[in-house]
Amino acid sequence: MLIKRKRGWELPESQATPESIFLERRRLAKALAAGPLLLGAAALVGGRVGEAAAAEADPSAGLYPVKQNMRYRLDRPLTDEKLATTYNNYYEFGSSKNIWRGAQDLPIRPWSVSIGGLVEEPFEIGIDELLAKMPLEERLYRLRCVEAWSMAVPWSGFALAELVKLARPLASGKYLKMVTLEDYDVMPGQRAGWYPWPYVEGLTVAEASNELAFIATGLYGKPIPKQNGAPLRLAVPWKYGFKSIKSIVAFEFTEERPVSFWEDIQSREYGFWANVNPEVPHPRWSQASEQVLGTDEKVPTQLYNGYGEFVADLYAGMAEEKLYM
Ligand code: MTE
């Protein structure tokens, strides 16, 4: 049975430390198994060896870069690639922002995705077959984390609406539930029993079919790095970043609203909708402004993170719902 500890976003660094020590030990053990040559090289250039090997191993590398869709424009410069790929939230690999090295252990091939629940016929599809079927494009989107920081990044991938079409949901399928990989061997954070793993998120089918909802398979013109949610993750820029679930293995259409990971942990602070709204504070901090990562700038946060023209209609007549948490 899971023992859940009701905590918010920031866990003290002391809790992250044992995980990073564990990871270091694990890497060392692997390097030792690979022989003294590799260990020597890794010692010389730090994490670079693993990084380069990971990039070479991704069979989708030849698909990128893809053409940018100019419909989605930014009001600010892109975040530096190095920052966007080394400052991450991916609790499966630990609760600090510095998980990118540990995330290199994530195996991204073979990788298949199951599409099921209330659909005409459930099926499983390999990531490379899925990539071959989908119209890939690049989109520049803002990302607003519930922790009041933001980035602006160039995702590559495909409209989630295309996957909904491929899935052929029944009319009774009102919600789309998405699930992250569960693998205690490679995801040390999942050994923390108080979290309700696996990470789960959900959208209404109307939201999933909205033109902005995007499945990212690439970043900065390359396959998406593991720490950012390889081989496929959600990007829903009008919602707080925690909705954008990483490393998805299942899409399931349901009649009932799914309970998402953070909602399960603390429903007083994190809900199903999680639409960005500067006027609705988090119970423990203001959401009025955001720190633009990589700059000294704090800028006002915008309703729906500035994407109201695309999504506001989705929420017409829903005043009784908690749309902004
Ligand atoms: N998905 C999974 N599976 N696990 C996570 O911990 N963190 C979320 C989201 N998706 C998270 C996740 C949060 S809180 C944010 S802000 C974004 O991923 C961060 O995405 P990035 O690291 O690519 O910037």
Side-chain angles (χ1 to χ4, degrees):
M1 193 176 111
L2 278 175
I3 300 165
K4 281 181 243 164
R5 202 165 48 173
K6 304 279 188 190
R7 292 200 80 107
W9 287 91
E10 274 113 2
L11 290 177
E13 201 55 38
S14 59
Q15 285 185 20
T17 309
E19 283 160 357
S20 50
I21 288 173
F22 172 84
L23 280 171
E24 257 334 299
R25 222 183 290 140
R26 207 183 134 86
R27 208 165 302 109
L28 190 63
K30 272 194 173 173
L32 282 169
L37 196 66
L38 182 58
L39 182 62
L44 272 178
V45 292
R48 289 284 164 83
V49 169
E51 242 181 303
E56 276 160 28
D58 194 319
S60 71
L63 296 176
Y64 307 97
V66 289
K67 194 163 184 283
Q68 188 184 328
N69 185 334
M70 302 302 283
R71 187 165 156 78
Y72 309 104
R73 294 179 178 276
L74 291 176
D75 58 350
R76 60 192 74 174
L78 284 176
T79 303
D80 178 61
E81 178 179 354
K82 177 106 187 155
L83 182 58
T85 56
T86 54
Y87 184 94
N88 301 100
N89 273 332
Y90 200 162
Y91 276 68
E92 286 84 339
F93 290 98
S95 52
S96 88
K97 299 287 185 263
N98 185 20
I99 52 76
W100 68 271
R101 283 191 192 84
Q104 302 316 309
D105 284 348
L106 180 71
I108 54 167
R109 293 294 186 288
W111 188 281
S112 62
V113 174
S114 73
I115 299 186
L118 299 169
V119 294
E120 283 181 24
E121 203 169 327
F123 61 97
E124 254 192 60
I125 186 166
I127 181 67
D128 295 306
E129 195 188 339
L130 182 64
L131 285 169
K133 278 186 195 296
M134 292 291 142
L136 298 181
E137 61 183 52
E138 182 178 67
R139 295 187 185 187
L140 314 189
Y141 276 174
R142 291 182 294 276
L143 168 72
R144 170 60 159 84
C145 181
V146 75
E147 297 166 326
W149 53 260
S150 65
M151 297 198 201
V153 297
W155 303 115
S156 304
F158 54 88
L160 178 55
E162 294 289 335
L163 187 135
V164 173
K165 239 191 280 169
L166 186 73
R168 292 185 293 146
L170 303 175
S172 53
K174 301 285 184 224
Y175 296 92
L176 176 58
K177 174 180 168 184
M178 288 153 277
V179 185
T180 294
L181 177 73
E182 191 169 19
D183 186 337
Y184 296 101
D185 284 339
V186 295
M187 294 172 147
Q190 290 187 337
R191 287 178 224 135
W194 58 85
Y195 287 118
W197 307 110
Y199 200 100
V200 166
E201 260 306 338
L203 298 172
T204 63
V205 170
E207 289 177 321
S209 306
N210 181 274
E211 65 168 271
L212 269 192
F214 198 64
I215 293 293
T217 58
L219 190 61
Y220 294 93
K222 288 170 269 188
I224 189 166
K226 296 178 176 186
Q227 61 273 27
N228 295 89
L232 75 168
R233 60 89 57 83
L234 183 66
V236 277
W238 72 100
K239 293 177 178 282
Y240 290 114
F242 69 85
K243 293 293 291 183
S244 290
I245 180 172
K246 296 181 170 181
S247 306
I248 301 169
V249 291
F251 293 87
E252 187 189 343
F253 291 83
T254 65
E255 197 157 8
E256 288 198 2
R257 187 181 293 180
V259 177
S260 59
F261 179 79
W262 289 107
E263 188 182 6
D264 194 357
I265 293 167
Q266 182 51 281
S267 61
R268 222 179 57 79
E269 300 190 352
Y270 308 104
F272 172 78
W273 299 102
N275 295 315
V276 175
N277 187 337
E279 290 181 8
V280 179
H282 183 278
R284 289 183 282 132
W285 58 83
S286 163
Q287 295 292 21
S289 62
E290 64 206 49
Q291 181 67 46
V292 181
L293 287 191
T295 74
D296 297 330
E297 264 187 284
K298 234 180 172 186
V299 300
T301 288
Q302 305 170 64
L303 179 61
Y304 297 117
N305 199 21
Y307 293 100
E309 62 176 302
F310 300 104
V311 297
D313 284 356
L314 287 169
Y315 309 105
M318 291 177 63
E320 76 289 354
E321 293 283 347
K322 292 181 172 169
L323 292 172
Y324 309 110
M325 60 164 280

